[in-house]
Structures are given as C-alpha cells and as structure tokens.
Amino acid sequence: MAEQQKKNIFLVKFEPSSDFTTYSSLGIADEEVIHEFNLARIIECELTDERVDDLKRFSNVLYVERDIPVYAYQQEIPYGVSRVQTQQVHQEGYTGGGVKLGIVDTGIDASHEDLNVTDGFSVFQSGEDSEPYHDGSGHGTHVAGTAAALDNGTGVVGVAPDASLYAIKVLDSSGSGSSAGVVRGIEWAIQNEMDVINMSLGSSEPSRAIQDAVDTAYDEYDILVVAAAGNEGNADGTGNTVGYPAQHDSVLSVAATDQNDLRAPFSSTGPGVDISAPGASILSTVPGNGYDRLNGTSMAAPHVAGAGAVLRAAFPDAPASEIKERMISTAKDIGDRSEWYGSGLLQLHDAVNQ
C-alpha cells in the first residue's frame, strides 16, 4: 500500500478572467478547500507537494504559495530597564511626561520611529555634523533610546518614554569633540531650559571650563547633570580611573554593571562614582530604525538620566539636588565596594516612592 503524502496549507491565486470557484477542474477536492477569498480570487487549501507542482502548470493559476507564519512585532523591554525597576513606575503612571531631556552626544537620528526628538542643536558649522539629527556614530541615538525610547509597541522601551528628547550635538561622527564644544552644548541646554542632561562622554584630563559649565547648570539653573564614569577600569577594579566631568560634585556619575549586577570589567572605578546602572550588552536604538547591543558606561548613564526625567515629572517642584539624592539614597546595595558601585544599583520605583 502506497504511503499517503503529507498535506500542507497553500494559497492558490487565480488570474482575473478565470472562474476560480471551479477548482475541482484542477483536481482540488471540495474537502481540501479551507476558505475562498472572493475579492482576492484566492483559495486556501490543503495540498500535497505533488499537487502543488501540478497546479503551477495551469495557465489560469498565477501562483501557489505556502501559508507562512506571521508574528506580532513585539516591543522588548531591555534587561537594563527591568533591573532598575522601570516597569513598576510605568505601571503607576510615571513616564517622564513634560520633562526636557538633553542628550549631549553625537546627535540623534530624529527619524527613528521609536524616538520623540523635539529639538536639537549642533556645535559644528559645516558638513553632515552640522545637523543635530544626523548621527554618523550611532552613539547618541543608542543613548537616547535607553533614556526615552517610546512605549509604542515596537522595538524597545526607554526609562522615560514620555520625556521630550533634545539632540545636543557636541561630538562628531567619529565620536570626537572638544571642551569648547561641550561648553557650548551645555550653554544651549541652559538657554533652552533642559530639566536633565545626559553626558555619555568625558576625558581623563579635567577642564575648568567644562566644570564651570556643569556647575552653573546644576547650581544656578537647577539642571540634573548625569555623566558616564568612563571605561578605563581594569579587571581588578583598582585605581581612581573615573573621568571628567563625572568626577565633579555637581555631576551624578554612573558606573556600569552587567546582567548579574556585577561590575562590568571596563567600568571606571574611584571615589567619584555615585551610582550604578546596567551597561553591558544594552539593547537600544541605532540610526536607520535599527537596534543594537552596546557596552559602556555610556550605556549605563542614560538609565539614570531617564530615571531623573521620571522623577522630575513625578516631583515637579523638587530641585535637582533632591532628585539626585532620591536616586543615591534608594540605590540597591550590590557590594561594599563604593569605588565600584557608588551607593549601589539604581532603583527607580524605590526612588519614586521614598
């Protein structure tokens, strides 16, 4: 007895002039037909591969294709966003709405469907880098997504999805800039009344001009200034390797942890570290409506900047100093090495409900 051939579901499309309901003339039995799509002149049916080959020879059959699976484009919650208690505060309605969040970086791809970029500024005068929404590096776009990617059912979600992003471009497409450019960017942030700025940049060499700028932003204009601690750490976690401006007292300095809440081996160490956030293999937005995983304290800092935006929206009358203290005082103890972790791992829900 011959083995019965396996049947699969196929869609058979008929050419416009044919009577597609007379499929029996093609050797398709009524019991093999699952559905007739009258407008599209297609039938859904169960067929063997042999019958499919036969059907393709008929002139009134335009195509036969296998029924393929289709999936929802689900939004992913990156592990870093989960580790800092973001989902809990979103469920309680704290999402950073009405807060101005400046990303002092390489620009932001404002055409990315997962980002809400309100305005921008570039310190560069010519070429593509003069456009704040051109991010030839991708660094600023990635930082922006962690801080504030939209809760729109696709891609990823950021810590403060309802915050307004501002692209403050002080680094070119190679990721390089100058102290003068950084000061100009901070000046623009002050003039345009940012509530929070993220600086995933730095130098091993201090700049008095940058220190003056961040001190002015924080002390005189009540801007919460967040900066990456730096990626100059060693495997042993020894030495004072925190960069500038993260070393300055007016700046909330962020070290990087991994999926296990352990210090990322590249994360800079020293007394200048204030707090920690995930910075290893962080999934976020990149130019061209894309997503990618990157490592660095640059990826850790926007978790804290986004948290700052959520807190500023939740407590609109609280000064930046209080917002900063809320995050530091409620951080989770993940080890007694303050030079590694500062006060510990950011816990946004605890900061909101302190």
Side-chain angles (χ1 to χ4, degrees):
M1 184 175 182
E3 183 179 351
Q4 187 173 9
Q5 291 189 7
K6 181 182 177 181
K7 291 184 177 181
N8 294 296
I9 298 176
F10 290 87
L11 298 173
V12 182
K13 170 75 171 182
F14 293 84
E15 61 97 20
S17 62
S18 67
D19 182 2
F20 79 101
T21 60
T22 60
Y23 40 78
S24 59
S25 63
L26 305 180
I28 302 174
D30 289 345
E31 61 269 21
E32 293 177 315
V33 176
I34 299 170
H35 187 75
E36 295 180 0
F37 300 90
N38 292 297
L39 294 178
R41 304 184 66 77
I42 293 173
I43 59 170
E44 177 188 6
C45 50
E46 290 185 302
L47 302 170
T48 64
D49 289 339
E50 183 180 357
R51 287 296 300 121
V52 169
D53 292 337
D54 289 340
L55 285 172
K56 290 178 178 178
R57 288 194 277 268
F58 286 94
S59 61
N60 62 331
V61 174
L62 293 181
Y63 61 78
V64 182
E65 69 175 22
R66 190 181 297 272
D67 187 32
I68 62 172
V70 178
Y71 306 98
Y73 287 135
Q74 295 181 343
Q75 178 172 266
E76 181 171 342
I77 300 175
Y79 88 88
V81 172
S82 297
R83 295 302 298 159
V84 301
Q85 300 183 327
T86 300
Q87 291 161 276
Q88 294 97 311
V89 296
H90 289 181
Q91 291 169 359
E92 294 177 3
Y94 300 110
T95 55
V99 172
K100 292 183 173 182
L101 174 53
I103 305 298
V104 184
D105 214 292
T106 60
I108 303 174
D109 179 6
S111 65
H112 200 295
E113 64 181 355
D114 219 359
L115 298 174
N116 172 29
V117 183
T118 301
D119 199 359
F121 165 75
S122 175
V123 302
F124 302 100
Q125 300 300 309
S126 61
E128 290 182 325
D129 282 322
S130 64
E131 171 54 61
Y133 308 135
H134 170 77
D135 182 10
S137 162
H139 188 272
T141 302
H142 196 277
V143 167
T146 296
L150 297 170
D151 189 1
N152 57 0
T154 190
V156 296
V157 61
V159 178
D162 287 337
S164 297
L165 285 168
Y166 290 77
I168 305 174
K169 187 169 184 173
V170 302
L171 303 177
D172 62 19
S173 294
S174 68
S176 299
S178 67
S179 56
V182 171
V183 171
R184 285 185 63 198
I186 296 171
E187 181 181 62
W188 189 91
I190 291 171
Q191 293 170 338
N192 288 270
E193 301 178 330
M194 295 298 108
D195 299 298
V196 182
I197 58 173
N198 184 90
M199 304 178 70
S200 288
L201 52 79
S203 172
S204 60
E205 183 179 353
S207 162
R208 293 181 64 180
I210 292 178
Q211 181 172 3
D212 284 344
V214 294
D215 288 350
T216 299
Y218 179 72
D219 294 329
E220 298 181 28
Y221 290 91
D222 196 36
I223 297 174
L224 180 68
V225 182
V226 177
N231 301 329
E232 303 304 317
N234 54 60
D236 295 330
T238 57
N240 182 6
T241 57
V242 176
Y244 297 91
Q247 285 266 24
H248 301 312
D249 291 340
S250 57
V251 176
L252 186 54
S253 172
V254 187
T257 55
D258 64 14
Q259 293 93 327
N260 298 312
D261 296 342
L262 299 174
R263 171 184 167 267
F266 54 77
S267 186
S268 289
T269 58
V273 173
D274 292 315
I275 198 168
S276 297
S281 190
I282 301 301
L283 180 66
S284 188
T285 49
V286 292
N289 275 331
Y291 301 87
D292 200 1
R293 297 182 188 275
L294 296 179
N295 300 299
T297 56
S298 284
M299 285 62 254
H303 287 90
V304 176
V310 169
L311 287 163
R312 300 223 79 164
F315 304 99
D317 297 327
S321 57
E322 179 181 324
I323 300 300
K324 182 178 179 180
E325 180 56 29
R326 276 181 176 269
M327 287 190 275
I328 290 175
S329 63
T330 58
K332 179 182 178 181
D333 183 4
I334 55 174
D336 58 4
R337 302 291 296 271
S338 62
E339 71 274 21
W340 287 9
Y341 304 117
S343 62
L345 182 67
L346 170 68
Q347 299 289 274
L348 180 53
H349 186 258
D350 293 345
V352 168
N353 291 281
Q354 185 185 46

